[in-house]
Amino acid sequence: IQTMGYLLAYSLFLEGDRPVRARIKALTPFVLLVLIWKATHGHLGYGSFGSPGYVDPTSNPARFTGLLVLRLPVLMAAQWLGISSMMFEQLDRITQYIYAGSAVSLLILLVYAIYRLGGFSSALGRFYAAGAIISLIPACAGYPFDRLTVNSDIGASGMLAIVILQTWQHRAQLKGGMIGFAKWFVYLIGFVHLVVFPIGKVASSAMMKALNQAGEDLAPLALPDAATAHPEDFVLINPPAGEAVYYYPLTRQYKGRINPATMRTLGPNNQAMTLTRVDEQSLRLTVLTGYRGSIARDVRLQPFKVGDTMHMGGITVTVEAITEDKVPSVALFRFPDSVQSSHWRFFTWAQDGVHTLAMPAIGQSVKIAQYDISKAVMDYINKKK
């Protein structure tokens, strides 16, 4: 689909001498391929619905358009200016608007500089620029990650090469005023791409192994082996990445660890919460900040309401209270048998690692504190040195 961006840009800017009908005819087979794929894709039930992050443009065009306005400048800022997009989705909505607006302002300066320096004067330059932007649009259907610019980088690299070479060739004449500003702004962008990016990528690659190891050792591998004599079910109250618990058994299996029969999580990551034993088979988990998740459920499309019930294996979950923005803050978990049955094992995370949770008596509660994941990771890395 991203390739279509370059095909369209090619038709617009590098085939200007051909009749419009001939250019449309040349594009038609590729358009048909995409339409046939999409129709099959949707008919088979693939795609996304109700996710706050992964938005299908065909099933929810309005939502996709709204996210496109935010995500496209953020990804372009990562691509051109080196301002990473990794944490964008962790920001609140107002901060996201400010972030995206600032990115637009910087990108307008970049476009102005390229224009003043003649980067758009050639058909090849216009092709590279248009292809880079159009091909980046499909990537906005998912969460912003710097890696999503990889196909768009082809056009961006061509555009950058053209404008830097032109600027260097005419550097003696590009002095003073706005033209001088444009020259030094493009030099700065070139420095980022030719020096900062390579050094940064080498450094981040060197750190990645340590970070990945810390993530594994502090989360999935921190859990004990399951008993082999009888099946066990692990219940994780507040793991570091509750939305990624489905990875835990795979990681553990790869590392030769013994997995339980099932592994489920109750709470939303590392927030403060209170666990209350309601009766023999029921637990109430109160999270005042709300059960929030970046890839879970888009509450603007599907707001929760008190009384909503869903199933997690044999566990029935009922929403008992919600926040002002329709996110659950209190949930009742009804287990199929006593929570003190030997096959249930409960675990909590704290700053110093994983702990087995002793189930409180009926009517009693346990406070579970918030912990700093970043600090835990850095402490782990420092201890390994």
Side-chain angles (χ1 to χ4, degrees), residues 12 37-38 50 63 84 130-131 160 177 184 227 233 294 362 371 374:
L12 288 172
W37 166 79
K38 184 57 184 171
R63 174 74 172 140
S84 179
L160 183 60
W184 287 106
D233 299 281
S294 57
I362 294 175
Y371 58 94
S374 298

Side-chain angles (χ1 to χ4, degrees), residues 199-212:
I199 294 175
K201 294 305 178 184
V202 170
S204 63
S205 295
M207 281 291 294
M208 193 56 63
K209 182 177 181 179
L211 290 173
N212 284 341

Side-chain angles (χ1 to χ4, degrees), residues 56 59 73 95 99 103 131 136 144-145 152 188 190 199 225-226 236 252 276 284 303 306 315 321 324 329 366 372:
D56 192 328
S59 64
T95 307
Y99 190 130
L136 199 55
F145 285 108
S152 175
L188 176 62
I199 294 175
D225 281 347
L236 318 181
R252 289 169 57 83
T276 302
R284 175 178 291 117
V306 174
I315 303 172
E324 291 183 358
S329 58
V366 175
D372 188 332

Side-chain angles (χ1 to χ4, degrees), residues 62-188:
R63 174 74 172 140
F64 173 76
T65 302
L67 289 175
L68 177 65
V69 173
L70 291 174
R71 291 174 174 177
L72 184 60
V74 168
L75 286 172
M76 290 183 66
Q79 177 182 58
W80 283 93
L81 308 173
I83 305 171
S84 179
S85 63
M86 295 292 287
M87 296 304 297
F88 181 73
E89 287 296 329
Q90 308 305 318
L91 305 173
D92 60 69
R93 185 58 72 186
I94 297 299
T95 307
Q96 286 183 347
Y97 287 133
I98 296 172
Y99 190 130
S102 301
V104 168
S105 299
L106 291 171
L107 291 167
I108 288 173
L109 282 178
L110 176 64
V111 170
Y112 172 78
I114 293 174
Y115 168 75
R116 286 299 304 269
L117 296 169
F120 300 124
S121 59
S122 69
L124 183 61
R126 294 192 294 273
F127 159 74
Y128 278 138
I133 295 172
I134 300 171
S135 67
L136 199 55
I137 291 174
C140 296
Y143 282 109
F145 285 108
D146 298 350
R147 66 174 183 266
L148 296 181
T149 69
V150 64
N151 292 321
S152 175
D153 287 343
I154 298 169
S157 297
M159 179 77 261
L160 183 60
I162 286 175
V163 72
I164 286 179
L165 286 174
Q166 288 185 175
T167 301
W168 184 255
Q169 289 168 357
H170 302 93
R171 61 189 181 279
Q173 293 80 40
L174 303 175
K175 294 180 179 180
M178 295 305 294
I179 194 68
F181 163 79
K183 177 180 73 172
W184 287 106
F185 190 67
V186 165
Y187 281 169
L188 176 62

Side-chain angles (χ1 to χ4, degrees), residues 52-53 143 243 268-269 271 290-298 327:
Y143 282 109
E243 296 168 323
N269 304 331
Q271 301 171 51
Y291 285 72
R292 301 178 186 277
S294 57
I295 62 172
R297 172 167 165 169
D298 191 343
V327 175

Side-chain angles (χ1 to χ4, degrees), residues 1 26 43 52 61 73 100 110 119 130 138 200 232 244 286-287 356 359 364 374:
I1 295 175
H43 178 72
L110 176 64
E232 289 188 325
T286 301
V287 186
T356 299
M359 191 54 54
Q364 299 298 309
S374 298

